[in-house]
């Protein structure tokens, strides 16, 4: 927004500071001046950055009100006095969509001569870079620049039988001032006559009812429209206008009569003509109650001082300053005793709703730079969340293992939500949660799993020629319904490249075992008991035979594996991708394993190797468990050293494998002797033989 200080000073003739100081003081109070330039009409041209909640300050009079509050000046009232009206019939106005239009004012001017704007309007418009169209149209633009309320001028002779503010008929067509024809929906609001739509309310006027050089009679309109309605229409039709920018942020309900009077006055001054009849002002009481007649807010001086703390001025902020600042901003304060007030809010400040909003206004006008630099007092030490220690251990372990932490979006599309809802370990019957007001179709659901975000991040890296990626994400997943959302922590890992880089999809096993090792290392941090792997019950989007489910304590705590070829094609992934998802909520409930320090033995360790042939059905877990069951205290380690298969079946029968098992014995108290080593070796041989193994010579 651009602002002329010459125009602003017309409302504050006694402004005591120069333009440079004015810009600094406004900026320090949230009415930011981003740039200051010399104006062609004299004074300065301010380039303003007004936040979206301060629609009241998006005009010269609104900024002048802020300056008046800062410097304690009286704001010059708007001059809305009009020439005497010519008696005439009341122009018919009817509001049908009373929930969308709360107020509509109309005034008739007859006998105008439409020409170009001259004088001060032309001077100001040239300085602001505002396009001039014709005197009546420029008058409407001048008024929103002056006091912020959008208005419109109709060619009265193009209106049949009166004004009707109604919802559009579905499929109704309307040609707008930008010469485009729009097809309307039934929740668009239009200003119409008894036969046709004349304009898209709050957004843009219609082409057929516009003021031209041939216009002789004008109807001036100023209204108040529901902000959400204007916002929907503006976005639906891709039209962002000066009017919609203000209406969709909440215009001033009480400003319509004044805006109408100012436009009328300018048109008569520039184009001549006679005002016919009194102002038509149709008000919907329900809309007035929500804006002008809002319930007063209770404000306590003690609460203001408690919230704002000490100032650089020893006097601080007292009742007198609070009254002065809020009154200057348009509030009406009624004393309620004991330093308390009932504050009636101005109609132009719809952003004020609570006591804390008023306290912020006091602080803002006083000046944030005038408060003392103090730190808040802390009455207690910082306390970790209950699961913070476990989360730190997980994060530290993964980072140490070469995985990089990443963060993906909390939202996903409906297709991903349906596909991955079970992946996030949702309870039976739980579904994904839809957003009430989604940013887009691709972000319309709360993520039920971290897997879709992980796959998106892996694809993002691959598409930028990062061939080797190791990522993990700790975040929240959501299931349930909009009535009751279940939130729980989740953990996902994603890997691609490295040993498999450059290989065709599914052509390498190294990444599978790397992912398996990462999951095992993660589970080893917690006291989860025995960990087993199963190939059933894995998600359908993981490749069968190249994925596994991890079970600890009888509960599925993770699954991992290679992304299926079909899913990879759908996501346009060029190389093998492995994903793991861990039920972090279940792990965080378990205690971390505590490291146990054991003194190293001073006595020699002894190794014994045992070579056996086993059938393929005998797995290592069974062998290790059987040896551990012997309870030999001096047996400190058992490991597989060599595994051999003979494809031709000559040295090792088909369906079998040769396994070299190494047992390490060691005592912390003495040197082991041959007799006991022989006895323990015999026990191991007997045990492995009972498992179906054959001792090789």
């Amino acid at each position: 927004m651009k602002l002329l200080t010459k125009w602003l000073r017309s409302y504050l003739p006694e402004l005591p500071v120069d333009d440079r100081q004015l810009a600094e003081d406004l900026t320090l109070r949230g009415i930011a001046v981003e740039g200051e330039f010399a104006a062609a009409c004299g004074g300065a041209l301010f380039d303003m950055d007004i936040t979206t909640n301060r629609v009241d300050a998006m005009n010269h009079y609104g900024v002048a009100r802020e300056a008046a509050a800062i410097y304690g000046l009286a704001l010059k009232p708007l001059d809305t006095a009009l020439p005497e009206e010519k008696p005439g019939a009341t122009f018919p106005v009817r509001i049908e969509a009373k929930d969308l239009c709360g107020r509509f004012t109309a005034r008739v001017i007859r006998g105008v001569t439409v020409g170009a704007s001259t004088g001060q309007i032309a001077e100001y418009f040239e300085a602001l870079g505002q396009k001039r169209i014709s005197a009546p149209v420029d008058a409407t633009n001048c008024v929103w620049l002056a006091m912020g309320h959008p208005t419109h001028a109709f060619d009265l002779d193009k209106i049949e039988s009166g004004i009707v503010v109604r919802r559009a008929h579905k499929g109704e067509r309307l040609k707008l001032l930008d010469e485009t024809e729009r097809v309307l929906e039934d929740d668009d609001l239009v200003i119409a006559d008894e036969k046709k739509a004349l304009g898209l309310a709050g957004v843009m006027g219609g082409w057929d009812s516009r003021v031209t050089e041939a216009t002789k009679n004008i109807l001036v309109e100023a209204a108040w429209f529901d902000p959400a309605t204007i916002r929907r229409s503006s976005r639906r039709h891709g039209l962002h206008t000066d009017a919609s920018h203000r209406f969709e942020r909440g215009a001033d309900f009480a400003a319509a009569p004044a805006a109408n009077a100012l436009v009328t006055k300018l048109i008569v001054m520039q184009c001549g003509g006679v005002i016919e009849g009194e102002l038509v002002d149709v008000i919907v009481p329900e809309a007035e109650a929500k804006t002008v007649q809002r319930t007063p807010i209770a404000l306590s001086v003690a609460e203001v001082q408690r919230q704002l703390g000490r100032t650089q001025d020893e006097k601080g902020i007292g009742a007198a300053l609070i009254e002065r600042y809020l009154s200057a901003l348009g509030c009406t304060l009624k004393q309620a005793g004991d330093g308390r007030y009932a504050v009636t809010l101005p109609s132009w400040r719809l952003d004020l709703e609570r006591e804390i909003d008023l306290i912020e206004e006091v602080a803002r006008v006083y000046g944030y730079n005038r408060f003392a630099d103090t730190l808040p007092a802390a009455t207690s030490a910082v306390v970790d969340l209950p699961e913070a220690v476990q989360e730190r251990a997980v994060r530290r372990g993964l980072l140490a293992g070469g995985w990089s932490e990443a963060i993906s979006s909390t939202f996903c599309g409906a297709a991903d939500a349906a596909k991955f809802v079970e992946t996030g370990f949702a309870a039976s019957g739980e579904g994904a949660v839809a957003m009430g007001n989604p940013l887009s179709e691709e972000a319309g659901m709360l993520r039920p799993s971290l897997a879709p975000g992980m796959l998106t991040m892996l694809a993002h890296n691959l598409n930028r020629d990062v061939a080797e990626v190791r990522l993990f994400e700790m975040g929240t997943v959501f299931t349930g319904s909009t009535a009751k959302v279940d939130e729980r922590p989740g953990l996902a890992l994603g890997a691609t490249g490295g040993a498999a880089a450059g290989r065709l999809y599914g052509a390498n096993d190294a990444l599978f075992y790397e992912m398996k090792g990462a999951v095992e290392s993660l589970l080893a941090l917690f006291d989860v008991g025995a960990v087993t792997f199963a190939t059933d019950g894995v998600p359908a989007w993981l490749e069968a035979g190249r994925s596994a489910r991890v079970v600890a304590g009888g509960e599925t705590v993770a699954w991992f594996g290679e992304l299926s070829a079909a899913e990879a094609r759908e996501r346009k992934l060029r190389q093998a991708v492995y994903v793991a998802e861990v039920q972090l909520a279940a792990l965080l409930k378990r205690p971390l394993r505590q490291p146990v320090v054991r003194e190293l033995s001073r006595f020699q360790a002894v190794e014994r190797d045992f070579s056996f042939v086993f059938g393929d059905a005998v797995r290592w877990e069974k062998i290790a468990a059987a040896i551990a069951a012997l309870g030999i205290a001096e047996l400190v380690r058992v490991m597989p050293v060599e595994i051999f298969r003979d494809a031709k079946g000559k040295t090792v029968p088909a369906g079998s494998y040769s396994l070299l098992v190494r047992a390490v014995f060691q005592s912390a108290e003495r040197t082991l002797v041959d007799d006991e080593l022989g006895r323990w070796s015999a026990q191991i041989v007997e045990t492995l033989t009972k498992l179906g193994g054959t001792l090789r010579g």
Side-chain angles (χ1 to χ4, degrees):
M1 171 190 157
K2 291 181 172 56
L3 179 145
L4 295 172
T5 58
K6 180 179 179 180
W7 196 343
L8 182 148
R9 288 176 183 275
S10 69
Y11 302 124
L12 287 174
E14 298 178 1
L15 194 62
V17 296
D18 60 18
D19 292 342
R20 179 63 57 82
Q21 185 63 48
L22 175 63
E24 182 177 342
D25 291 341
L26 287 171
T27 301
L28 286 173
R29 288 158 177 84
I31 310 298
V33 180
E34 296 292 322
E36 180 185 349
F37 311 93
C41 63
L45 173 68
F46 286 171
D47 187 4
M48 311 290 293
D49 181 17
I50 308 297
T51 55
T52 56
N53 65 315
R54 293 301 309 275
V55 64
D56 64 291
M58 295 178 183
N59 56 83
H60 287 74
Y61 198 73
V63 176
R65 184 188 296 116
E66 292 290 320
I70 295 170
Y71 303 115
L73 302 175
L75 182 63
K76 185 178 178 180
L78 294 169
D79 183 6
T80 58
L82 293 173
E84 185 177 353
E85 301 95 351
K86 173 185 175 183
T90 300
F91 189 83
V93 173
R94 185 172 76 256
I95 300 177
E96 290 185 354
K98 294 185 178 182
D99 56 331
L100 307 184
C101 176
R103 189 171 197 173
F104 195 95
T105 67
R107 184 179 266 117
V108 173
I109 309 173
R110 293 192 180 275
V112 301
T113 301
V114 176
S117 296
T118 58
Q120 193 173 65
I121 292 180
E123 179 185 29
Y124 284 170
F125 275 33
E126 182 180 356
L128 289 169
Q130 179 76 28
K131 180 181 178 182
R132 284 189 290 163
I133 300 173
S134 65
V137 177
D138 293 347
T140 62
N141 290 334
C142 180
V143 167
W144 72 254
L145 286 167
M147 51 100 56
H149 198 87
T151 58
H152 189 68
F154 295 93
D155 187 325
L156 181 63
D157 298 324
K158 303 293 179 64
I159 301 174
E160 301 184 57
S161 304
I163 290 291
V164 181
V165 186
R166 59 171 172 82
R167 284 179 166 83
H169 307 307
K170 187 173 179 61
E172 186 174 8
R173 294 179 177 275
L174 174 63
K175 186 177 181 180
L176 298 177
L177 289 173
D178 61 357
E179 300 187 54
T180 62
E181 186 175 66
R182 306 285 172 159
V183 179
L184 306 180
E185 296 292 334
D186 53 12
D187 63 341
D188 285 323
L189 183 67
V190 295
I191 299 172
D193 58 23
E194 295 293 348
K195 295 186 178 180
K196 61 186 180 299
L198 302 174
L200 189 58
V203 181
M204 187 177 288
W207 178 264
D208 295 332
S209 59
R210 74 192 190 281
V211 172
T212 66
E213 292 182 356
T215 297
K216 298 301 179 184
N217 304 304
I218 289 176
L219 179 74
V220 178
E221 165 260 311
W224 183 92
F225 304 113
D226 174 62
T229 301
I230 306 306
R231 189 179 303 115
R232 285 195 299 269
S233 291
S234 176
R235 292 185 179 182
R236 178 184 299 115
H237 298 288
L239 294 170
H240 184 79
T241 62
D242 293 320
S244 69
H245 186 81
R246 284 152 180 80
F247 276 126
E248 69 184 35
R249 286 161 175 77
D252 181 2
F253 187 93
N260 195 308
L262 289 173
V263 172
T264 301
K265 184 176 183 177
L266 289 173
I267 291 176
V268 172
M269 288 174 56
Q270 295 274 326
C271 306
V274 177
I275 302 170
E276 182 180 277
E278 296 181 351
L279 175 72
V280 178
D281 189 1
V282 182
I283 296 176
V284 178
E286 293 80 6
E288 186 177 31
K290 293 189 302 183
T291 53
V292 178
Q293 299 175 356
R294 288 177 291 166
T295 303
I297 296 175
L299 177 67
S300 165
V301 174
E303 182 64 11
V304 173
Q305 294 170 340
R306 188 188 75 82
Q307 291 280 357
L308 299 184
R310 294 192 301 107
T311 65
Q312 294 176 355
D313 184 354
E314 292 183 0
K315 295 180 180 179
I317 298 176
L321 274 183
I322 294 172
E323 290 183 21
R324 173 189 148 189
Y325 291 155
L326 294 182
S327 297
L329 293 175
C331 298
T332 302
L333 284 76
K334 182 179 180 181
Q335 291 190 0
D338 298 328
R340 292 179 293 110
Y341 296 92
V343 182
T344 301
L345 303 172
S347 58
W348 56 83
R349 290 300 301 273
L350 297 182
D351 58 313
L352 302 180
E353 298 177 344
R354 303 169 297 166
E355 181 183 31
I356 194 65
D357 296 332
L358 297 176
I359 295 173
E360 182 182 3
E361 288 300 291
V362 172
R364 187 178 62 79
V365 179
Y366 181 79
Y368 295 124
N369 58 317
R370 297 174 63 192
F371 287 93
D373 295 330
T374 58
L375 293 174
T379 58
S380 61
V382 177
V383 178
D384 273 339
L385 293 174
E387 298 167 343
V389 175
Q390 289 97 318
E391 289 181 354
R392 279 199 296 269
V394 170
R395 181 175 284 107
R396 187 166 54 244
L398 290 170
L399 291 172
W403 299 80
S404 299
E405 186 170 9
I407 300 175
S408 66
S409 173
T410 310
F411 311 111
C412 66
D416 276 349
K419 183 183 301 181
F420 292 95
V421 65
E422 295 298 332
T423 309
F425 300 96
S428 178
E430 282 191 331
V433 181
M435 296 289 294
N437 185 24
L439 299 174
S440 64
E441 290 185 7
E442 293 76 18
M445 310 287 289
L446 288 173
R447 63 183 180 191
S449 163
L450 296 177
M454 179 58 66
L455 292 172
T456 299
M457 292 188 291
L458 292 173
H460 181 87
N461 280 273
L462 290 175
N463 292 338
R464 285 155 181 79
D465 296 326
V466 182
E468 184 173 354
V469 186
R470 301 292 185 274
L471 298 177
F472 77 92
E473 179 179 10
M474 295 174 64
T476 305
V477 294
F478 309 85
T479 53
S481 65
T482 52
K484 183 180 179 181
V485 180
D486 179 25
E487 301 182 28
R488 56 186 175 276
L491 171 65
L493 289 80
T496 186
R503 304 292 296 273
L504 295 176
Y505 202 88
N508 192 279
D509 291 335
L511 216 49
F512 177 90
Y513 291 106
E514 182 180 345
M515 184 67 77
K516 177 175 179 288
V519 173
E520 287 178 315
S521 298
L522 177 64
L523 296 179
L525 297 172
F526 295 87
D527 186 8
V528 296
V531 176
T532 59
F533 298 86
T535 57
D536 61 323
V538 296
W541 48 270
L542 289 178
E543 190 73 28
R546 302 182 67 80
S547 55
R549 178 168 57 92
V550 186
V551 180
E555 180 183 11
T556 299
V557 295
W559 39 51
F560 67 93
E562 183 178 345
L563 191 67
S564 69
E567 188 69 21
R569 284 194 298 271
E570 182 177 335
R571 294 177 177 274
K572 299 180 181 178
L573 295 169
R574 304 189 303 271
Q575 63 189 43
V577 166
Y578 282 78
V579 179
E581 185 143 23
V582 180
Q583 190 177 0
L584 190 59
L587 289 185
L588 295 180
K589 295 176 183 177
R590 302 171 183 263
L592 291 170
R593 283 183 175 169
Q594 299 302 318
V596 178
V597 179
R598 186 178 64 182
E599 185 178 355
L600 294 176
S601 175
R602 294 175 295 168
F603 301 96
Q604 181 69 36
V606 180
E607 296 179 354
R608 291 289 186 266
D609 290 345
F610 306 91
S611 183
F612 274 81
V613 176
F614 290 100
D616 287 343
V618 181
R619 305 182 67 85
W620 170 252
E621 290 87 352
K622 190 173 182 181
I623 296 171
I627 296 175
L630 294 174
I632 303 173
E634 289 78 4
L635 180 60
V636 295
R637 189 163 60 253
V638 178
M639 69 193 82
V641 179
E642 292 181 358
I643 299 175
F644 173 71
R645 298 178 187 274
D646 187 353
K648 297 180 179 179
K650 292 182 178 179
T651 56
V652 178
S656 301
Y657 64 94
S658 174
L659 175 66
L660 179 62
V661 180
R662 177 164 296 163
V664 180
F665 302 94
Q666 189 176 31
S667 171
E669 301 173 351
R670 57 189 173 81
T671 301
L672 301 178
V673 298
D674 286 340
D675 288 347
E676 55 190 355
L677 289 170
R679 185 172 67 254
W680 296 331
S681 298
Q683 291 176 358
I684 292 175
V685 170
E686 182 181 359
T687 298
L688 298 183
T689 302
K690 288 180 179 179
L691 290 178
T694 303
L695 185 64
R696 296 188 67 185

